[in-house]
Amino acid sequence: MMEFAGRSRFRSRLSRGTYERVGVARPGVIAIVVAILLTSMPASAAPYPPRVQVFVANSGSNSVTVFDTRMGEVVGTIPVGATPVGVGAAPGGDRVYVTNEQADTVSVIDPRPLAVVATVPVGRHPFGVTATPRHAYVTNFSSNSVTVIDVATNKPVRDIQVGRFPHTPATNPDGSRVYVTNNGSQSVTVIDAAGQKPVATIPVGRFPAGIAVSPDGKRVYVANTGSNSVTVIDARRNKPIATVPVGRAPIGVSVTPGGRVYVANARDDTVSVLDPSGDPTGPAVQVPKRPEGSAASPDDSFVYVTNNGADSMSILDAVTAKLVGTVPVGSQPEGLVVTS
């Protein structure tokens, strides 16, 4: 298959060590650290809802790692299809969707028994997935389309043509818009969820990959892997309003409830942190080899980053951006999602 900017070009398998506190090689220490951090959150932080978990797609081991955010440990590994790369969750977290790139399918996971409950055929080389209360949207990289899945029936109901090599989708908070990065078109397609059709195309940088929407729905952030930048989009006008330099080969991007933007720079082994306007909040944070995915917790406590070249996931404090822990996961992790 065709390789493309915005995902790993190298598929090395590295041995995984124990789950350890940064700088302290003792098993179990990080679980204690996470517990302490959770119990000492500021009073303004919303409490965790039940069963908040991180689901990590391991593209090299055809599995999904499940990390329990309260216990601070991995609680399960779920077999899925060939080469899982993208992960999305339904609002409320009752279903998790995983794109299996080499199988042209999506695995539907019930997070209670940690089991696949359906496998849905989609387009060629599905990469990313996002969900609203009614539908899941899957970007088919080699079909230049988005497959719409009815979440009640787990059946595909429509294919929407978008730009060349669609990479990652994201929804706004009320589920009325779906934003799709077109890796081969230097653009973002805006889909109206009610009419299930494109309503705008927004120019961005080279090889756009990850995308995330601010909690208030007013800003959209796009990681331009080929331009080493992030495009900030005004969602009301569907226009770019800023282009911000970050590290080399940015791929994953997430926005915390507090509005901070975390960008995984795959070739620098760093994570850039931006304020809502796109300005850097400080120096980039060093993480293990080849960070690709980024996802924020629902209570503004932590940000999780997959390290594709180290078979691990980094945990960063969402407010201070300090690296507080590293978790071993499966082989070559890429996408991830935090349920809420």
Side-chain angles (χ1 to χ4, degrees):
M1 93 176 252
M2 181 182 297
E3 288 287 355
F4 56 95
R7 59 168 302 190
S8 173
R9 293 179 182 272
F10 305 96
R11 297 294 181 187
S12 61
R13 293 179 181 238
L14 303 180
S15 61
R16 295 185 292 280
T18 57
Y19 182 178
E20 59 190 20
R21 177 77 160 88
V22 176
V24 182
R26 288 187 294 166
V29 171
I30 187 63
I32 298 171
V33 172
V34 170
I36 292 171
L37 288 169
L38 289 176
T39 57
S40 62
M41 288 188 303
S44 59
Y48 263 106
R51 302 181 68 88
V52 175
Q53 297 165 315
V54 185
F55 289 78
V56 179
N58 304 307
S59 63
S61 52
N62 299 336
S63 66
V64 171
T65 296
V66 186
F67 176 80
D68 188 297
T69 62
R70 280 183 167 177
M71 296 174 65
E73 64 185 29
V74 171
V75 294
T77 301
I78 306 170
V80 291
T83 318
V85 289
V87 192
D94 62 337
R95 286 292 184 271
V96 173
Y97 303 89
V98 181
T99 56
N100 304 308
E101 186 188 6
Q102 295 298 325
D104 296 342
T105 62
V106 168
S107 295
V108 183
I109 295 173
D110 185 331
R112 288 169 289 272
L114 299 181
V116 173
V117 295
T119 301
V120 185
V122 291
R124 294 180 59 219
H125 299 140
F127 192 83
V129 58
T130 189
T132 68
R134 296 184 59 191
H135 297 103
Y137 296 83
V138 180
T139 49
N140 304 306
F141 188 83
S142 295
S143 298
N144 299 334
S145 66
V146 171
T147 295
V148 184
I149 298 172
D150 185 320
V151 299
T153 63
N154 291 323
K155 302 290 185 184
V157 294
R158 181 170 299 190
D159 282 327
I160 303 170
Q161 291 302 122
V162 291
R164 192 166 181 249
F165 303 151
H167 190 285
T168 303
T171 55
N172 64 350
D174 65 9
S176 63
R177 291 286 186 269
V178 180
Y179 300 90
V180 177
T181 54
N182 302 308
N183 195 261
S185 298
Q186 297 184 198
S187 66
V188 169
T189 297
V190 185
I191 296 172
D192 173 60
Q196 302 290 10
K197 62 181 181 181
V199 293
T201 302
I202 305 169
V204 292
R206 295 185 64 216
F207 306 135
I211 185 168
V213 184
S214 64
D216 60 8
K218 294 180 180 179
R219 296 284 184 269
V220 179
Y221 303 90
V222 178
N224 304 306
T225 307
S227 301
N228 301 332
S229 66
V230 168
T231 296
V232 183
I233 295 171
D234 183 330
R236 292 168 295 185
R237 297 185 297 151
N238 287 329
K239 292 184 179 297
I241 56 174
T243 300
V244 183
V246 288
R248 293 187 301 160
I251 298 181
V253 57
S254 64
V255 187
T256 70
R260 291 166 295 278
V261 183
Y262 280 74
V263 185
N265 304 309
R267 290 186 182 171
D268 277 348
D269 301 338
T270 62
V271 175
S272 296
V273 186
L274 314 175
D275 68 17
S277 67
D279 293 329
T281 63
V285 182
Q286 198 74 33
V287 293
K289 188 176 181 181
R290 209 159 54 244
E292 293 200 2
S294 179
S297 62
D299 68 340
D300 213 19
S301 58
F302 300 108
V303 172
Y304 303 90
V305 175
T306 54
N307 307 305
N308 183 268
D311 297 345
S312 68
M313 178 180 72
S314 294
I315 304 175
L316 284 73
D317 185 290
V319 176
T320 66
K322 181 181 178 180
L323 179 63
V324 298
T326 303
V327 185
V329 293
S331 176
Q332 299 162 13
E334 295 197 27
L336 75 169
V337 72
V338 185
T339 60
S340 61

